[in-house]
Amino acid sequence: MKKFTKVLALALVSVLALMAFAACNNGSSTTLPDPTPDADGTITLLIGGVGPLTGPYANYGLSVKYGAEIAVEEINAAGGVNGMKLALDFQDSQGKPEAAQNAYGNLIDKGMDVSLGAVLSGETASIVAAAKNDGILVLTPSGSAKDAIADNDNAFRVCFNDPQQGTVSADFIADNGLATKVAVFYASDVDYSNGLYETFKAQATKRNLEIVTEQTFTDSTNTDFSTQINAIKSSGADLVFIPIYAAEAATFLTQAKAAGLTDVTFFGCDGIDGILTKGISTEDVEGLMMLTPFAADSTEADVQAFVTAYKAKHEDKAPDQFAADGYDAIYTIKAAIEKANLTKDDVTNFHSRLVAAMTQITVDGVTGTMTWTADGETQKAANALVYRDGVAVEYTVAG
């Protein structure tokens, strides 16, 4: 439970009601207690996660959860962190910010020591706001909107933010000579899509990429893309930038290929991950490119160890970027605990020491070598995957 330092009570209000009120009141001044030993003297740090485990975005939430679970199991099997064990409690938000905030409150009541924030940007923002006065480290694996971790100095992220993705996408396209004329197809009512579009457009201008048409859709017009596809076909574009989610991308690509739009490259970002779970055929996804810092076919030993462990638990299915983000988030928490020299014998000022360590660590993760700045942003390299025969493989320039 939370430890409340200042609570004003009316005489007729019970202590129990006051605690319930304070736990839900985001404006209250609170200080979370340091971790406490279990009955046998051991300390188990509770890491709380929130994300869609059901509903249309469940593929993202489940991937993050599964990746985080593997990391927790590995760390505990190796003896834990400085004499302490880890436990993961991952709760379903169904992709709804209000449900995510309620789940955060439930986790605080369970004694959460570190928060993985949430999976999607909107729900991450609600948790970051709720956590502002708690002092708890919030490390979202995948909440990528720039504002998702704003106004909370204790909030960080593992993934690139949306502006980073848009800028890096334009650079990758230009650096690898993938196109000179670009069409953009994006969701005008989705912050994720808009954020990527704006920064991509700005960087494309700097890199002499000509945007020949900009086509949009909304949640109420996301089933028939024939008008947009025809506009793209007549634009002369040799690449279509699609900063959208997997479900809409599957519909768009299926319709585009059926309409004969086959002589262009389709290029998306992390929202594309999981597209093969959305009913698209391997033929229609062939050649699709996706900006990502994670490639399951990498020959790096740590990546292959993670892929092997993931496949063993999930019916030989390879992990996607979201699973890798969840995995790296847990190992980042481990690195911060070690850097802060928090041990089973010394967890005083646990939360402030853990947060301070975040800008002092370097983590060699499966999504790359990462450092963090005071604004919570990660710095690491990016690459791209391309779908070949139904498998996303690391993109390499033909020699």
Side-chain angles (χ1 to χ4, degrees):
M1 294 294 290
K2 293 184 180 180
K3 176 182 176 183
F4 300 97
T5 58
K6 293 182 180 179
V7 178
L8 298 179
L10 296 175
L12 297 179
V13 180
S14 69
V15 173
L16 181 60
L18 271 174
M19 292 180 69
F21 170 80
C24 297
N25 182 5
N26 295 339
S28 62
S29 176
T30 66
T31 302
L32 294 180
D34 295 327
T36 55
D38 298 329
D40 61 359
T42 62
I43 290 181
T44 301
L45 301 177
L46 179 59
I47 300 174
V50 177
L53 304 180
T54 57
Y57 302 114
N59 58 297
Y60 302 122
L62 290 170
S63 286
V64 171
K65 177 178 182 286
Y66 294 158
E69 285 175 342
I70 290 173
V72 168
E73 291 172 3
E74 288 179 351
I75 291 168
N76 285 339
V81 187
N82 290 351
M84 299 178 286
K85 295 290 187 178
L86 304 180
L88 178 68
D89 187 331
F90 206 103
Q91 300 198 2
D92 187 10
S93 68
Q94 298 180 319
K96 300 174 182 178
E98 61 276 14
Q101 188 169 340
N102 289 336
Y104 170 84
N106 291 337
L107 289 166
I108 287 291
D109 288 343
K110 287 186 172 184
M112 177 170 60
D113 299 300
V114 187
S115 172
L116 291 179
V119 171
L120 303 179
S121 291
E123 54 188 24
T124 296
S126 71
I127 285 177
V128 166
K132 184 172 183 178
N133 295 318
D134 291 339
I136 191 171
L137 171 64
V138 179
L139 179 63
T140 172
S142 54
S144 60
K146 179 70 173 176
D147 292 340
I149 61 172
D151 300 322
N152 186 334
D153 293 338
N154 301 329
F156 298 80
R157 74 175 114 230
V158 172
C159 63
F160 291 121
N161 66 36
D162 293 345
Q164 285 174 317
Q165 289 193 74
T167 299
V168 173
S169 293
D171 285 337
F172 191 92
I173 291 166
D175 290 343
N176 289 280
L178 298 179
T180 57
K181 296 183 177 182
V182 179
V184 182
F185 177 73
Y186 69 101
S188 60
D189 60 344
V190 175
D191 288 343
Y192 166 81
S193 197
N194 271 299
L196 283 164
Y197 157 71
E198 292 291 347
T199 54
F200 177 84
K201 182 178 180 179
Q203 190 66 8
T205 299
K206 294 178 182 178
R207 298 304 307 270
N208 296 316
L209 299 175
E210 180 186 359
I211 296 181
V212 293
T213 186
E214 300 169 10
Q215 299 295 316
T216 67
F217 68 95
T218 66
D219 184 59
S220 62
T221 61
N222 65 355
T223 57
D224 182 0
F225 300 133
S226 56
T227 299
Q228 296 95 323
I229 290 168
N230 287 333
I232 293 169
K233 286 177 66 176
S234 61
S235 69
D238 40 28
L239 181 144
V240 185
F241 181 57
I242 48 173
I244 57 179
Y245 290 132
E248 291 80 8
T251 301
F252 172 71
L253 288 172
T254 300
Q255 293 179 8
K257 297 294 181 72
L261 186 57
T262 57
D263 57 348
V264 299
T265 298
F266 296 95
F267 192 104
C269 296
D270 61 359
I272 297 293
D273 222 344
I275 190 170
L276 287 173
T277 68
K278 302 302 180 181
I280 191 171
S281 69
T282 55
E283 291 82 6
D284 287 339
V285 82
E286 182 73 14
L288 170 66
M289 297 186 67
M290 175 180 67
L291 186 80
T292 177
F294 173 74
D297 68 329
S298 169
T299 57
E300 295 291 331
D302 59 340
V303 174
Q304 283 310 302
F306 169 55
V307 171
T308 298
Y310 191 95
K311 285 184 172 181
K313 291 181 66 69
H314 299 290
E315 300 178 342
D316 205 36
K317 178 184 177 183
D320 59 17
Q321 178 190 318
F322 288 85
D325 286 337
Y327 183 82
D328 276 356
I330 300 297
Y331 274 99
T332 297
I333 293 167
K334 175 179 182 289
I337 292 170
E338 293 170 339
K339 183 66 177 179
N341 199 28
L342 292 160
T343 71
K344 66 181 180 63
D345 298 318
D346 179 15
V347 290
T348 56
N349 300 317
F350 177 87
H351 302 289
S352 59
R353 287 165 64 184
L354 193 62
V355 169
M358 282 298 299
T359 56
Q360 303 171 32
I361 59 176
T362 298
V363 176
D364 292 323
V366 296
T367 65
T369 300
M370 297 171 285
T371 59
W372 285 265
T373 49
D375 60 359
E377 302 295 355
T378 185
Q379 309 297 313
K380 58 183 170 182
N383 204 340
L385 301 182
V386 59
Y387 282 88
R388 300 295 186 204
D389 299 322
V391 178
V393 298
E394 191 168 2
Y395 174 79
T396 55
V397 179

